[in-house]
């Protein structure tokens, strides 16, 4: 098993000689074995290891037990330990607020931030995490069930930014056998048995059912499929990167894309330009949270008749259309600036707040047959201006406004 992990590290260029590595250790069997293997390769690869553990304070005494276990394990191995505890008050405050973010998402965000902070403190180029081949299979299956595009079905990446997964080619069964043979102690997280979490139900119910009735090597098959799809995704992503440089630009307000150029691309490329934009706007962690529904909503927005539309996306992102611009940005969409201006009749009126010009012409009667467009409208001037021909004003929409266009019943 150590040979396989060494090959994984080499094949995916995870480590360089002399690297400082932060090892994320929860105390469970995967991360504890990961630490043991890296410790055994420490001299061979001239590694400097830092053991990192975050106590989320979500499981009371069990969380405290895990923290002590990892700290003592680090001391026995003679390794540096970087630990942090989230104050209980902060956990309770988060529980009351909620805010649309699940507890798992909140915990993951805090954990990643802690690990990156620890890496910066110790000058570590890499952060090693303990995801194994079974975790990869569960991830692919979970994304398939939720509805995902090709990118999501490639599963977890072997190397992503500073994060590496040396166990990604190693089955959980082999990790557990290694721990037993080497008499490696570890702790068990009771939340891994809770069926309210989708991943747990997949691992405990669905995958054993698939193994028994359909394919005894379903885990291996799912992980292999992810690897094959990853090659296709890498090719398409490279083409999308080239297309993105022509279609999109990053500015202060987010990623701004040209609608007409997006529509000229093949859907396989334009969807990846969109996904790439979400990664840039969301700081690199949003793309895999997107579902097929989000991608279809993107196509609906750029193809639709509405020149102004907005949709919400995971990671506190929003996508909005402003005529021929499509903007992807973080946070809530900006509120439109109110405006009110005297309308030149006939003539041209500039509305800077809305970014448009209104050109008016007086006609004796509307054309017959009427061949309109979404930028042209006809009004009864006498009905609007009255007999005295009072000045007309154009203004932004206000709460309570009602209108009934000619020819419509409501």
């Amino acid at each position: 098993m150590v040979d396989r992990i060494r090959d994984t590290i080499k094949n995916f260029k995870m480590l360089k000689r002399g690297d400082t590595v932060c090892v994320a250790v929860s105390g469970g069997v995967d991360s504890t074995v990961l630490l043991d293997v890296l410790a055994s390769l420490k001299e061979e690869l001239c590694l400097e290891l830092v053991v990192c553990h975050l106590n989320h304070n979500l499981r009371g005494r069990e969380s405290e037990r895990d923290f002590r276990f990892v700290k003592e394990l680090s001391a026995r191995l003679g390794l540096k330990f970087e630990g942090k505890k989230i104050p209980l008050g902060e956990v309770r405050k988060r529980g009351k607020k909620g805010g649309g973010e699940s507890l798992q998402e909140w915990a993951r965000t805090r954990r990643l931030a802690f690990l990156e902070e620890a890496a910066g403190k110790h000058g570590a180029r890499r952060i090693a995490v303990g995801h194994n081949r079974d975790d990869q299979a569960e991830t692919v299956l979970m994304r398939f069930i939720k509805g995902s595009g090709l990118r999501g079905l490639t599963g977890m990446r072997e190397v992503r930014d500073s994060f590496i997964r040396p166990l990604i080619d190693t089955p959980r069964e082999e990790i557990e056998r290694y721990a037993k043979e080497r008499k490696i102690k570890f702790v068990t997280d009771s939340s891994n048995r809770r069926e309210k979490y989708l991943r747990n139900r997949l691992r405990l119910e669905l995958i054993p059912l698939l193994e028994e009735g359909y394919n005894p090597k379903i885990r291996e098959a799912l992980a292999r499929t992810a690897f094959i799809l990853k090659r296709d995704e890498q090719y398409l992503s490279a083409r999308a990167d080239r297309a993105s440089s022509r279609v999109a630009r990053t500015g202060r307000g987010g990623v701004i894309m040209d609608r007409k150029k997006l529509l000229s691309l093949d859907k396989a490329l334009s969807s990846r330009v969109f996904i790439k934009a979400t990664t840039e706007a969301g700081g690199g962690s949003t793309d895999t949270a997107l579902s097929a529904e989000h991608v279809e909503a993107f196509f609906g927005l750029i193809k639709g008749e509405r020149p102004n539309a907005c949709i919400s996306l995971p990671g506190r992102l929003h996508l909005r259309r402003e005529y021929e611009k499509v903007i992807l940005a973080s946070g809530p969409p900006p509120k439109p600036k109110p405006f009110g201006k005297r309308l030149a009749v006939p003539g041209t009126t500039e509305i800077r707040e809305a970014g448009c010009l209104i050109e008016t012409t007086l006609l004796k009667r509307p054309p017959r047959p009427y061949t309109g467009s979404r930028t042209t409208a006809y009004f009864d001037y006498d009905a609007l201006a009255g007999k005295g021909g009072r000045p007309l004003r154009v203004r932004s929409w206000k709460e309570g406004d009602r209108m009934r266009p000619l020819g419509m019943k409501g």
Side-chain angles (χ1 to χ4, degrees), residues 8 36 52 70 114 159 169 175 187 219 264 330 369 372:
T8 300
D36 186 85
C52 300
V70 176
F114 160 71
V159 178
D169 290 331
I175 291 169
V187 293
R219 300 170 202 255
S264 71
S330 180

Side-chain angles (χ1 to χ4, degrees), residues 79-94:
L79 300 174
K80 293 179 184 176
F81 174 74
E82 186 68 36
K84 183 177 179 179
K85 299 179 184 180
I86 298 178
L88 193 57
E90 188 177 331
V91 178
R92 288 171 177 163
K93 184 178 178 182
R94 186 269 157 206

